[in-house]
């Protein structure tokens, strides 16, 4: 009788342990699937945020381009057309010839502007060329002196990476112009074994980076670099200018 009781107990204990193990396995499977779903949702959310960031950058660049076109039409092409009208209306052959030359120049300027109406130019321009264009525009205004330096081989970037760099460079230079009052602004483009780096420096007012900014500008720039796996680092102090590093590993 006692042996039968032990056998029953062993069978019952075995069945209980088997049920417990089965429950544990089922629970682990369910937990694993839940984690998979959560990870998938997180990846989808990150992808959505990445796409939104790129879309915002494209829209901002297009708005910047349209503003540039508007200024060129008003300040440059409009002036050239007015002069052309005066020269062509002259009775002097030499003035009429100058008018025709100005019309040719206007046609060339309009063709150049038409190329910037979409973002195809992003794929055809290098980061160095873009940086040079931006610095040349700043120096042409007489606002301050500029300098561009490149170390290492030319960069090869995907379109989304290039879009982010273009917009971040624009914003950094705009901030220097608006807030720093510098005498000199420089951009250094570097490529080496560790990755790619852009250093943007100015000798302007500088600011205390330990004081939280009222705006979200720097935070947005940092987030944008993070969307392409990069880093945004800034060092500044009052009276000592500002240095910004944009880092992208290989």
């Amino acid at each position: 009788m006692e042996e039968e009781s032990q056998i029953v107990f062993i069978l019952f204990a075995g069945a209980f342990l088997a049920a417990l193990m089965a429950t544990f396995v089922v629970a682990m499977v369910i937990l694993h699937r839940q984690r998979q779903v959560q990870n998938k949702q997180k990846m989808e959310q990150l992808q959505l945020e990445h796409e939104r960031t790129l879309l915002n950058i494209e829209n901002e660049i297009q708005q910047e381009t349209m503003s540039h076109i508007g200024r060129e039409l008003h300040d440059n092409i409009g002036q050239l057309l007015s002069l052309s009208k005066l020269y062509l209306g002259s009775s002097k052959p030499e003035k009429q010839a100058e008018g025709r030359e100005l019309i040719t120049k206007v046609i060339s300027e309009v063709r150049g502007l038409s190329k910037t109406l979409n973002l195809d130019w992003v794929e055809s321009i290098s980061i160095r060329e873009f940086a040079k264009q931006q610095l040349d525009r700043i120096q042409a205004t007489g606002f301050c002196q500029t300098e561009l330096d490149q170390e290492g081989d030319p960069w090869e970037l995907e379109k989304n990476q290039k879009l982010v760099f273009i917009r971040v460079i624009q914003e950094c230079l705009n901030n220097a112009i608006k807030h720093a009052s510098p005498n000199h602004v420089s951009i250094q483009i570097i490529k080496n074994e560790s990755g790619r780096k852009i250093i943007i420096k100015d000798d302007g007012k500088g600011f205390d980076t330990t004081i939280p900014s009222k705006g979200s500008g720097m935070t947005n720039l940092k987030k944008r670099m993070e969307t392409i796996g990069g880093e945004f680092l800034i060092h500044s102090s009052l009276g000592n200018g500002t240095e910004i590093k944009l880092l992208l590993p290989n």
Side-chain angles (χ1 to χ4, degrees):
M1 191 69 178
E2 185 177 348
E3 290 182 358
E4 290 179 358
S5 298
Q6 289 179 347
I7 292 172
V8 170
F9 175 78
I10 292 170
L11 291 174
F12 178 78
F16 176 77
L17 289 174
L20 187 63
M21 287 296 296
T23 302
F24 176 76
V25 170
V26 171
M28 290 300 296
V29 169
I30 292 174
L31 182 61
H32 178 68
R33 288 181 178 176
Q34 287 178 339
R35 287 180 176 174
Q36 282 185 322
V37 171
Q38 290 174 351
N39 289 336
K40 183 179 179 181
Q41 290 175 341
K42 287 181 181 178
M43 291 299 296
E44 290 175 350
Q45 183 65 28
L46 289 173
Q47 180 65 26
L48 182 60
E49 290 178 1
H50 178 69
E51 291 174 356
R52 284 176 179 170
T53 298
L54 292 179
L55 181 60
N56 287 338
I57 290 172
E58 288 188 0
N59 289 336
E60 289 171 2
I61 291 176
Q62 287 174 338
Q63 290 173 5
E64 185 81 18
T65 299
M66 294 304 295
S67 297
H68 170 66
I69 289 173
R71 290 192 299 269
E72 286 295 305
L73 288 173
H74 181 271
D75 300 335
N76 182 26
I77 293 176
Q79 184 180 17
L80 290 174
L81 287 172
S82 297
L83 288 174
S84 300
K85 182 179 179 181
L86 289 174
Y87 288 162
L88 291 173
S90 174
S91 59
K92 297 180 180 179
E94 62 272 18
K95 291 295 183 182
Q96 293 178 359
E98 288 184 30
R100 287 191 292 271
E101 289 179 4
L102 285 175
I103 291 295
T104 301
K105 186 174 182 180
V106 168
I107 293 172
S108 176
E109 293 284 339
V110 170
R111 285 175 177 170
L113 286 176
S114 68
K115 294 179 181 179
T116 66
L117 286 174
N118 52 47
L119 292 179
D120 290 345
W121 61 270
V122 171
E123 296 182 358
S124 63
I125 194 172
S126 69
I127 287 295
R128 184 188 185 283
E129 291 168 338
F130 176 77
K132 186 175 186 305
Q133 285 182 2
Q134 298 299 301
L135 292 177
D136 286 348
R137 285 179 185 174
I138 293 173
Q139 184 153 329
T141 65
F143 181 80
C144 69
Q145 294 296 308
T146 63
E147 182 182 356
L148 176 65
D149 183 43
Q150 180 167 353
E151 297 179 15
D153 298 329
W155 287 21
E156 292 183 6
L157 295 171
E158 298 176 3
K159 183 180 178 181
N160 64 331
Q161 293 175 325
K162 193 182 292 185
L163 278 170
V164 170
F165 270 107
I166 283 174
R167 193 55 184 158
V168 171
I169 290 171
Q170 279 182 330
E171 283 299 302
C172 290
L173 293 176
N174 286 340
N175 287 338
I177 293 170
K178 290 179 182 178
H179 307 298
S181 301
N183 295 314
H184 186 268
V185 174
S186 68
I187 294 180
Q188 191 176 10
I189 302 172
I190 301 169
K191 183 179 181 183
N192 52 34
E193 297 79 10
S194 61
R196 287 153 287 188
K197 180 192 303 183
I198 289 180
I199 302 175
I200 304 171
K201 287 184 181 180
D202 70 66
D203 62 353
K205 296 177 181 178
F207 62 98
D208 187 349
T209 56
T210 63
I211 299 176
S213 174
K214 294 181 180 179
S216 58
M218 293 299 171
T219 301
N220 286 340
L221 296 180
K222 181 179 179 181
K223 287 182 178 178
R224 289 180 171 187
M225 286 300 299
E226 288 175 352
T227 63
I228 59 172
E231 288 185 82
F232 177 91
L233 305 175
I234 185 166
H235 176 75
S236 184
S237 60
L238 290 173
N240 294 309
T242 301
E243 177 182 277
I244 293 172
K245 293 181 180 180
L246 312 178
L247 310 177
L248 184 67
N250 288 327

